[in-house]
């Protein structure tokens, strides 16, 4: 009994110590360094870096930033500093100069790849990682993107009018997906976590850190939607998943890693289709059920 109480006391002290270290970060300074305001989820501070400057089309669909151009970085408090994860959207000509500046600042690059096919102009996605002072990291990322890409940092123009309703049967899509989506920038989005999230450097890779199945629906008229995003799966789930996607007439556009040292090893499967939104939602749910996804 005495030993149990001692362990409980040590655990409580550790939690209090971690909380104190998290509170020691001045997040207003991080916001100022990046020129953005974070979305906070638990201890994770996530910053959107959408490529709203780009006009990208695919199969006649104009891609909204929230569908497939939504770059981001996120910080999780770790050992008195912060762990960084992120995904930067870049043109091919921006990849090398941005990477060089990030590496020179001490940050790591963990992946570069496509998400979609046939898009014009072609876009690529650079995953970044690091650990240190979040204000210094934010400063380095903004400097790299500002000097070597056209990633916008100015806040978007705001109006007093309410956002228009999305032209989709969202209730029907929710029912088919078995989850509740949210509207963001004209796109209906889902972030569906795995039952047991992966860990990186001992830290749980939560949805805010990129550890969820991301499913996006953009209306294309007449009850149809363009869908894209990525499924987060273990190696043995890859082929059951992609077989289900192809059976549902959903194109598989990329299979790759995002991280370098996560446990268990995870793969990200990207996809594309433009079809009846309810049909696509049912087929996406069938594919999700081939994986160890958390059930709502």
């Amino acid at each position: 009994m005495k030993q149990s109480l001692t362990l409980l006391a040590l655990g409580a002290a550790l939690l209090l110590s971690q909380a104190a270290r998290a509170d020691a970060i001045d997040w207003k300074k991080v916001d100022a360094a990046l020129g953005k305001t974070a979305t906070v989820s638990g201890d994770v501070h996530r910053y959107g870096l959408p490529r709203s400057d780009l006009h990208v089309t695919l199969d006649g669909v104009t891609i909204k930033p929230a569908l497939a151009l939504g770059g981001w970085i996120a910080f999780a408090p770790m050992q008195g500093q912060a762990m960084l994860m992120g995904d930067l959207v870049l043109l091919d000509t921006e990849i090398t100069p941005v990477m060089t500046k990030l590496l020179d600042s001490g940050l790591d690059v963990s992946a570069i790849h496509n998400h979609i096919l046939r898009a014009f102009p072609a876009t690529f996605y650079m995953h970044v990682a690091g650990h240190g002072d979040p204000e210094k990291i934010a400063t380095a990322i903004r400097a790299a993107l500002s000097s070597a890409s056209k990633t916008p940092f100015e806040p978007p123009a705001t109006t007093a009018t309410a956002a228009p309703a999305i032209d989709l049967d969202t209730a029907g899509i929710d029912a088919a997906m078995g989850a509740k989506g949210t509207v963001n920038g004209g796109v209906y989005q889902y972030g569906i976590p795995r039952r047991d999230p992966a860990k990186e450097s001992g830290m749980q890779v939560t949805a805010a850190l990129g550890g969820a199945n991301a499913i996006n629906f953009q209306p294309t008229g007449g009850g149809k939607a363009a869908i894209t995003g990525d499924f987060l799966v273990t190696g043995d789930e890859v082929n059951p998943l992609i077989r289900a996607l192809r059976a549902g007439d959903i194109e598989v556009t990329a299979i790759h890693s995002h991280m370098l040292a996560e446990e268990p090893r995870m793969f990200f499967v990207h996809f594309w289709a433009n079809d009846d939104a309810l049909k696509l939602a049912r087929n996406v749910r069938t594919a999700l059920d081939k994986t160890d996804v958390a059930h709502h």
Side-chain angles (χ1 to χ4, degrees):
M1 180 61 129
K2 183 176 180 181
Q3 184 179 16
S4 299
L5 290 173
T6 301
L7 290 173
L8 285 172
L10 287 172
L14 179 60
L15 289 173
L16 287 171
S17 175
Q18 289 173 336
R21 288 197 296 268
D23 291 342
I25 297 173
D26 188 341
W27 291 108
K28 289 184 179 179
K29 289 184 176 180
V30 183
D31 291 356
L34 200 62
K36 300 278 185 177
T37 301
T39 298
V40 182
S41 177
D43 284 340
V44 176
H45 287 240
R46 179 172 169 132
Y47 299 84
L49 296 169
R51 289 303 299 265
S52 55
D53 60 306
L54 297 177
H55 180 79
V56 179
T57 59
L58 169 54
D59 296 346
V61 177
T62 298
I63 303 294
K64 293 182 181 292
L67 182 68
L69 304 173
W72 58 273
I73 62 169
F75 296 98
M78 179 183 181
Q79 298 173 359
Q81 298 182 313
M83 179 177 73
L84 164 77
M85 288 188 178
D87 187 8
L88 310 177
V89 183
L90 301 170
L91 298 176
D92 56 356
T93 55
E94 298 171 341
I95 291 173
T96 298
V98 169
M99 178 194 292
T100 300
K101 290 183 178 298
L102 292 174
L103 295 175
D104 287 347
S105 71
L107 296 177
D108 294 331
V109 172
S110 57
I112 302 173
H113 47 236
N114 67 290
H115 285 182
I116 50 180
L117 304 173
R118 303 181 303 280
F120 183 82
T123 51
F124 298 87
Y125 303 80
M126 180 184 294
H127 290 265
V128 294
H131 175 247
D133 181 334
E135 183 183 356
K136 291 180 180 178
I137 292 174
T139 299
I141 288 174
R142 182 170 185 176
L145 291 176
S146 296
S147 64
S149 83
K150 296 187 181 299
T151 302
F153 283 86
E154 300 75 16
T158 57
T159 63
T161 58
I166 196 162
D167 184 23
L168 288 173
D169 177 6
T170 55
I173 295 172
D174 284 348
M177 289 287 294
K180 176 65 177 174
T182 57
V183 178
N184 177 30
V187 175
Y188 200 56
Q189 299 184 324
Y190 294 89
I192 300 176
R194 289 183 62 83
R195 188 180 66 183
D196 298 311
K199 290 186 177 181
E200 172 97 356
S201 301
M203 299 280 288
Q204 191 174 82
V205 183
T206 63
L209 289 170
N213 297 279
I215 318 291
N216 300 326
F217 289 74
Q218 178 179 313
T220 54
K224 296 176 65 177
I227 64 167
T228 191
D230 54 4
F231 296 89
L232 174 58
V233 295
T234 54
D236 61 334
E237 294 172 338
V238 170
N239 278 281
L241 171 72
I242 65 175
R243 285 191 172 96
L245 290 173
R246 292 306 302 129
D249 205 25
I250 297 171
E251 183 178 20
V252 177
T253 59
I255 304 171
H256 50 231
S257 61
H258 287 183
M259 299 170 281
L260 297 175
E262 77 281 8
E263 295 180 0
R265 188 76 169 128
M266 305 302 299
F267 297 88
F268 293 76
V269 178
H270 295 262
F271 59 94
W272 170 264
N274 182 15
D275 204 340
D276 178 80
L278 294 177
K279 169 190 167 184
L280 291 176
R282 289 191 292 269
N283 291 342
V284 166
R285 184 70 240 186
T286 297
L288 270 173
D289 287 339
K290 300 295 183 182
T291 74
D292 191 18
V293 69
H295 291 277
H296 290 243

